[in-house]
Structure formats: structure tokens, C-alpha cells
Amino acid sequence: DTAVSQTPKYLVTQMGNDKSIKCEQNLGHDTMYWYKQDSKKFLKIMFSYNNKELIINETVPNRFSPKSPDKAHLNLHINSLELGDSAVYFCASSYRDTDFGGNTIYFGEGSWLTVV
Amino acid sequence: AQSVAQPEDQVNVAEGNPLTVKCTYSVSGNPYLFWYVQYPNRGLQFLLKYITGDNLVKGSYGFEAEFNKSQTSFHLKKPSALVSDSALYFCAVRDMTDSGSARQLTFGSGTQLTVLP
């Protein structure tokens, strides 16, 4: 029973391509997130959605576009991939964080993106 | 603005010895504090959190952490380390008083724990 699942786990693609990473959670959570982990393992939030509504949109190039068709899914689409986009992208979810900041965030296994 | 510092990039400890992974934080109000562990090529797994109440928090796999408000610290501890505890550990903080888009979890830079057999 995978709680937060994301696909693909590994993705190697050429510069300039467009790619998507899909994420689904079966925890009944209202809030979903995308985090980026760089080569130095530093984690930074990219986006957060509460029940399909965009809440957090950090300084991320507009080549990155999240899409939430329903509260159990949050996909990440990346246009015109660049070498610097190579990183690990984590999807995560929690109960509604605008109600209570102490809710635990649960992470997926990550998607390792390599742009060549 | 909130921030987290993990002053040690690497901690080595012998199996069976106690371990401590340090974390200090800075928030405007009161903090929610979290510890996560990341094994190689895996996602982050939740270990424990401090919300309110008892300063000593117990979590998964025998880990515990002590909230110290005066020192703004939340160090992770385990009485007896196992080789299988070797992993990357992240401390994270949220400010209780933040709301809306400001209420985001900020992570430290991570500490690589190596337990030597």
C-alpha cells in the first residue's frame, strides 16, 4: 500500500524536451507538494496545493507547471528541459496545512531526473 | 523568516554507542519541529515531531529528540546506534504563527550519519 507514489522513478532525457512526473496519494490528504532536492541534497519547496488550489508557488521558472486534477493527484510538467533541472523531485502530501502547521508531510520515493 | 541549521555535515559513531544529530532553528513565533531520514535512493521518512507539550519526543526506530526553547535546539538522539541507522537526516521547522503561503516547511541541509560496525 504505497501512500505517496510518483512515476517515473528514473528519467533521463535530452535538453529541450518536455517531460511530466505524476504523483498520487491514497492517504486522504488535502494538501500536496512538490519539492526539489539538488545535488548537494538541499531540499526546497516548489509548489503546494490545497484541494486543487495553488497555495505556494516559490521562485521556480515558469517552465515548471503543476497540475492538480483532483486532491489526490499533483503532476509536474516541465517544458524545455535544461541541464540545471537535473535533480530529484519529491512529491509529498499532508492534511490541510493552512489549518494546522503541525501536520506531518509524507513523501514519495522521488523521481531522479537527469538532463543530458 | 524561518531557518534551520544542522551544523554537522557528517557524524560518525560506533555501533552500540549513543548518537546525537544536532539541529538549531530560528522562527519569529513558536516552532513546529520535525525530523526525517533519507536512505540512499529513497524518499524522506518521517521520524518524529514536536508540536507542543513534553519537550522529549519519542519517534520511530528508537529515536528521540529534545526540544530546548532557550537554546532553540531540537537534537536527535538514540541511546544505541545500529549500522542500519546510517542515512541522511533532515531537521525541519515551521513557524506556528505563519499562515497561508508563508506556512511552509523549511529543511536543514542534512547530516550524513554513518554508524561503524
Side-chain angles (χ1 to χ4, degrees), chain B residues 5 17 32 59 62 84 95 102 105 107 113:
Chain B
N17 282 2
Y32 296 122
S84 57
D95 191 331
L105 195 60
F107 284 85
L113 172 68

Side-chain angles (χ1 to χ4, degrees), chain A:
Chain A
D1 285 350
T2 304
V4 182
S5 59
Q6 52 184 111
T7 56
K9 178 150 186 172
Y10 299 102
L11 183 55
V12 180
T13 188
Q14 290 188 325
M15 278 196 304
N17 284 351
D18 302 340
K19 290 295 177 185
S20 292
I21 306 172
K22 295 185 176 181
C23 179
E24 176 181 7
Q25 55 93 5
N26 62 4
L27 296 167
H29 288 161
D30 306 282
T31 304
M32 295 188 72
Y33 314 80
W34 278 108
Y35 282 82
K36 180 180 179 180
Q37 185 175 46
D38 63 22
S39 59
K40 295 185 178 179
K41 305 296 185 183
F42 186 70
L43 276 159
K44 186 166 171 57
I45 191 166
M46 300 172 68
F47 303 102
S48 108
Y49 271 74
N50 263 349
N51 201 10
K52 304 194 297 174
E53 178 188 358
L54 181 64
I55 300 299
I56 293 174
N57 184 354
E58 288 297 293
T59 307
V60 174
N62 58 15
R63 299 181 294 102
F64 290 79
S65 54
K67 283 188 170 49
S68 182
D70 56 59
K71 74 174 192 176
H73 295 83
L74 181 62
N75 304 321
L76 183 66
H77 189 74
I78 315 171
N79 289 327
S80 304
L81 278 155
E82 300 177 356
L83 292 177
D85 297 332
S86 296
V88 185
Y89 293 86
F90 287 104
C91 180
S93 72
S94 73
Y95 288 112
R96 193 173 181 88
D97 69 346
T98 50
D99 291 342
F100 176 51
N103 287 322
T104 301
I105 297 178
Y106 294 92
F107 286 80
E109 289 289 293
S111 293
W112 270 252
L113 173 64
T114 303
V115 183
V116 297

Side-chain angles (χ1 to χ4, degrees), chain B:
Chain B
Q2 59 198 31
S3 64
V4 179
Q6 292 182 243
E8 299 158 319
D9 291 336
Q10 175 83 39
V11 169
N12 295 328
V13 64
E15 188 174 29
N17 282 2
L19 70 86
T20 299
V21 182
K22 294 180 180 178
C23 171
T24 59
Y25 66 89
S26 173
V27 294
S28 302
N30 290 315
Y32 296 122
L33 291 155
F34 302 78
W35 275 103
Y36 286 84
V37 59
Q38 184 179 21
Y39 296 99
N41 298 325
R42 302 294 300 277
L44 277 75
Q45 295 180 28
F46 169 71
L47 280 178
L48 51 80
K49 67 181 178 183
Y50 171 80
I51 302 300
T52 187
D54 194 348
N55 289 342
L56 184 63
V57 178
K58 294 189 184 295
S60 306
Y61 312 121
F63 284 94
E64 59 188 30
E66 185 164 14
F67 171 62
N68 188 318
K69 188 171 183 178
S70 63
Q71 297 186 4
T72 61
S73 67
F74 190 55
H75 301 330
L76 182 70
K77 299 182 180 184
K78 187 173 182 180
S80 179
L82 299 172
V83 172
S84 57
D85 292 330
S86 299
L88 186 60
Y89 290 80
F90 289 97
C91 183
V93 69
R94 253 182 178 160
D95 191 331
M96 280 188 199
T97 57
D98 284 342
S99 62
S101 62
R103 182 177 270 169
Q104 54 179 285
L105 195 60
T106 298
F107 284 85
S109 55
T111 298
Q112 180 66 47
L113 172 68
T114 301
V115 181
L116 305 167

